[in-house]
Amino acid sequence: MATKTQELKLDIERIGTVSAILTQPEDARACYVLAHGAGADMRHAFMETVAKGLADRGIATLRFNFPYMERKQGRPDQPAVAHAAIRAAVAEAARLCPGLKLVAGGKSFGGRMTSQAQSRGALPDVKGLAFLGFPLHADKKPSSERAEHLAGIAIPMLFLQGTRDGLADLGHLRPVIAALGSKATLHEVEGGDHSFAVLKKSGRTNDEALTEVLDTLAAWIDGLA
């Protein structure tokens, strides 16, 4: 299946312009608006691998930089700025991929900002949110305060989490998912860390763990109404 990669500029109202990349396979059946994590931009190897892997599974991705990353500033944007970037990316994905099922989310910080944006006002036409390592709390400081806004989200959510993720203690995350009811799905990647890397003694490779993540994500997207 041939895949088209398009370099874009994304205009964020009253904030400025950031870079974006649309990766779109022929006959794509969905588009995932994929936001990066706090410490690496849209071109990070993890983001590239996810985009390619989803394209191989018939799903387009729209990646983009948050303004702070575009300007090479160290500290992540304030939530309002991040939310505006996500809304601009969702609108651009809808424009460039008409007729495709639209989902949003991303890696760590990007996924959390997407969920916050959705909780404050529904992202137009987005059918579900998928989180590649939801950062429930600071590293090794278990709490569930960052999840309080999730109760205000009405669309389906998929949480892909490694069982060794230091930013999402499962003892805290599982009750959060349970409280969200049928709209939330938790998929645990055995032995995976915050980026789904596994230990050598696990008996499988990082590529195999990420294949599990991408297969699960693609199947979940296909199951959305």
Side-chain angles (χ1 to χ4, degrees):
M1 182 183 296
T3 298
K4 177 178 68 175
T5 300
Q6 186 177 354
E7 300 270 348
L8 307 166
K9 288 297 182 182
L10 187 64
D11 292 322
I12 307 170
E13 188 176 1
R14 294 191 298 276
I15 293 172
T17 302
V18 297
S19 302
I21 301 173
L22 175 66
T23 303
Q24 186 173 9
E26 287 182 350
D27 301 323
R29 60 188 183 276
C31 181
Y32 180 36
V33 179
L34 174 59
H36 64 73
D41 69 6
M42 66 175 182
R43 297 183 188 276
H44 185 268
F46 178 89
M47 301 287 286
E48 295 274 4
T49 300
V50 168
K52 181 181 184 303
L54 287 177
D56 291 342
R57 291 162 174 81
I59 296 171
T61 55
L62 180 69
R63 289 174 280 157
F64 61 97
N65 281 337
F66 286 111
Y68 78 96
M69 191 62 74
E70 186 79 5
R71 298 165 187 160
K72 295 180 169 52
Q73 297 170 336
R75 177 175 290 185
D77 297 311
Q78 291 295 314
V81 174
H83 300 166
I86 290 162
R87 291 187 182 281
V90 167
E92 186 70 354
R95 186 182 73 83
L96 294 171
C97 302
L100 297 190
K101 185 185 298 182
L102 195 60
V103 295
K107 180 77 182 84
S108 194
F109 169 82
R112 183 163 71 96
M113 290 298 103
T114 302
S115 66
Q116 286 185 0
Q118 175 70 26
S119 73
R120 285 160 171 74
L123 297 166
D125 300 319
V126 169
K127 304 303 183 186
L129 304 181
F131 310 115
L132 305 176
F134 188 87
L136 186 63
H137 50 73
D139 190 29
K140 299 176 183 177
K141 295 182 179 179
S143 111
S144 56
E145 291 179 4
R146 289 183 179 177
E148 291 176 355
H149 68 283
L150 297 175
I153 295 174
I155 60 176
M157 292 172 277
L158 174 66
F159 295 78
L160 292 150
Q161 303 288 157
T163 59
R164 293 191 303 114
D165 190 342
L167 277 67
D169 179 270
L170 290 174
H172 285 72
L173 182 60
R174 287 175 184 141
V176 167
I177 302 298
L180 292 171
S182 60
K183 65 184 177 181
T185 300
L186 172 62
H187 181 89
E188 299 177 17
V189 179
E190 184 60 39
D193 65 8
H194 192 54
S195 295
F196 309 112
V198 295
L199 299 173
K200 288 184 179 180
K201 66 181 181 181
S202 71
R204 63 175 178 163
T205 66
N206 292 342
D207 286 345
E208 289 170 335
L210 193 54
T211 293
E212 175 187 340
V213 169
L214 296 175
D215 285 346
T216 302
L217 175 55
W220 179 82
I221 290 172
D222 285 343
L224 292 173

